Amino acid sequence: MASGKQFDDLPNEVLLKIFTYLNIEELVVSTQNVCMRWREVSRDNKLWRNAVFNPRKEITDKEIAKYLENMPALRSYSATRRSENIVIDALCKFCRNIRSIDLHNSHNMNIPLIQKIIQHFPHIESLKVPLPYPMFPEELIKFSELIGQCQSLRSLCLDGNSVCSVVMWEGVLIPIADGCPSLQHIHIGYHGQLDEDIHNLLRKKRHQLLSFSCKISVTKSMAEHLSECTTLQHLDIENCNDHLLYDDIQSLIKLTNLKYFAFRYCTEDIVNNFPMFFLSGSLSQVVHLDLSESYYISDIAVTAIFENCPQLQHLNISGSQSLQNEGLRYIGKCIHIHHLDLSMCMDLTDRSMEYVGAGCCSLKKLDISGCYKMTDKAIEHIVKCRELQVLKFNYNDLTGSNFHLISTHLPHLAELHLENCKYLNEVYVDELHKEMMHLKIIVARRCKETYLDPEEAVLLLD
């Protein structure tokens, strides 16, 4: 360095600032082995306050445990796969500041394990765990009672076990409703009929809930209890009731603070009356709207969305078999949209992309997979969305003849998904790859192997 200065002459504040540019593994493996001073600075709480240790899948449990041994200031751990108890043992022994634990849904959860977590981390704020399996009703209640003791818990996710679905018995959620005084965010997977338990939970937490997520057969009573949670900002429902009527959920109009609203598998009666829902103005603040897997979503319903949700940024209406091109005519009224999922809307043609290209100048992600009536001409309109970063064109009949427009008009495009496009010409793909070497082009090998993650592939061809 100039003037005879050495790197070690830097004050701790400057060293700390430099370390903020390192990832969590570099902090552990590199900086801590340089000298005692670097080791101390690399363990400063400021570096770890928002850091999440999300180990790569290829790292063994023993290696994860070794990493954790050198992370005393770690506050958040998130698993990417099933791990053995050696990892939880290391967390409990070396990481006493943990506030958030997210375990994979294939983890072998049991009462001693949850008991150990709660005993070692009494100030846990966020907990995502799979329900134990197999387990008798009284054991599930004990499991719930342990969680109910968490005084600082703000976020709870009770995922289903990936090995086998877990059915919860009535009364299991009572200890959580009566305990967990700080709880604001609740996610409950599909665990059978828990109507009374959920009603009780919503009633007890109605003045503090900010988000609620559940896969369940929605009833009128449940919707009414939800409507009393007036602080709710995030509502995510996967409906399993095929006979649900609009009148049953009309009370949700009271939820005027919603920013995120997902209601998947809407019935025909709900869809037919949805315009009234949006015209009420109750969803005028919604930023994220997901009505996917709702077969009957129509042009009228979508038009009502565009005319009454001016803050909308993320829209998912995938799976609609009733949506036509004209339903997208007024998409330009939602000037903030950056994520649009129209996959499996099979009646959409190139004309629909003309509306998208003209109205969505801020669009960053577009999914039109399975819209088989679209042709290469759609790309002429799509490239007008100059900020596009991800384009999914899977299961379509394009050849790639207009791919040259992508290289000249979409400089920010990072991912192009072309899975199972049976008429795709590899020559056009090769030319695009040469023009945009940074672009990840994913072409699934039909009938040979499953989809590969974009992180693991740049170009895949038959």
Side-chain angles (χ1 to χ4, degrees), residues 289-309:
L289 181 62
D290 182 352
L291 301 176
S292 59
E293 307 303 331
S294 300
Y295 185 94
Y296 301 100
I297 292 290
S298 63
D299 292 0
I300 295 174
V302 174
T303 298
I305 292 171
F306 295 145
E307 292 184 337
N308 296 281
C309 300

Side-chain angles (χ1 to χ4, degrees), residues 9 59 68 121 138 156 215 299 319 357 384 429 438:
D9 294 328
I59 299 179
L68 292 172
F121 307 116
E138 57 272 16
L156 174 63
K215 178 181 178 181
D299 292 0
K384 295 175 184 177
V429 179
H438 70 281

Side-chain angles (χ1 to χ4, degrees), residues 167-329:
V167 176
M168 289 201 290
W169 283 267
E170 195 172 318
V172 167
L173 296 179
I174 289 177
I176 294 173
D178 292 339
C180 300
S182 304
L183 199 58
Q184 295 178 319
H185 309 275
I186 304 172
H187 169 80
I188 305 170
Y190 184 71
H191 304 296
Q193 295 296 326
L194 287 171
D195 290 7
E196 289 304 318
D197 270 30
I198 291 178
H199 295 172
N200 180 55
L201 183 66
L202 293 173
R203 186 166 57 249
K204 292 285 182 69
K205 306 298 184 185
R206 66 183 182 278
H207 296 306
Q208 63 195 73
L209 270 189
L210 296 179
S211 69
F212 180 79
S213 175
C214 189
K215 178 181 178 181
I216 199 165
S217 291
V218 180
T219 63
K220 184 172 185 177
S221 180
M222 179 178 294
E224 289 172 350
H225 280 90
L226 277 169
S227 71
E228 297 301 319
C229 302
T230 52
T231 58
L232 211 58
Q233 297 178 10
H234 179 123
L235 179 60
D236 189 331
I237 298 292
E238 186 166 328
N239 174 46
C240 301
N241 182 357
D242 294 336
H243 305 289
L244 191 65
L245 301 176
Y246 174 75
D247 286 345
D248 296 333
I249 67 164
Q250 191 174 8
S251 57
L252 295 180
I253 287 178
K254 296 179 184 178
L255 298 176
T256 57
N257 293 315
L258 286 179
K259 304 292 184 184
Y260 181 114
F261 181 55
F263 203 103
R264 291 177 286 278
Y265 296 96
C266 294
T267 61
E268 184 176 9
D269 187 69
I270 290 176
V271 170
N272 288 341
N273 290 280
F274 245 147
M276 291 188 289
F277 204 93
F278 292 102
L279 287 169
S280 71
S282 63
L283 296 179
S284 62
Q285 300 301 311
V286 163
V287 173
H288 184 122
L289 181 62
D290 182 352
L291 301 176
S292 59
E293 307 303 331
S294 300
Y295 185 94
Y296 301 100
I297 292 290
S298 63
D299 292 0
I300 295 174
V302 174
T303 298
I305 292 171
F306 295 145
E307 292 184 337
N308 296 281
C309 300
Q311 306 302 320
L312 198 60
Q313 296 179 15
H314 183 125
L315 177 62
N316 184 349
I317 47 177
S318 61
S320 170
Q321 303 300 300
S322 302
L323 183 65
Q324 307 292 317
N325 296 330
E326 290 305 299
L328 298 173
R329 175 182 287 272

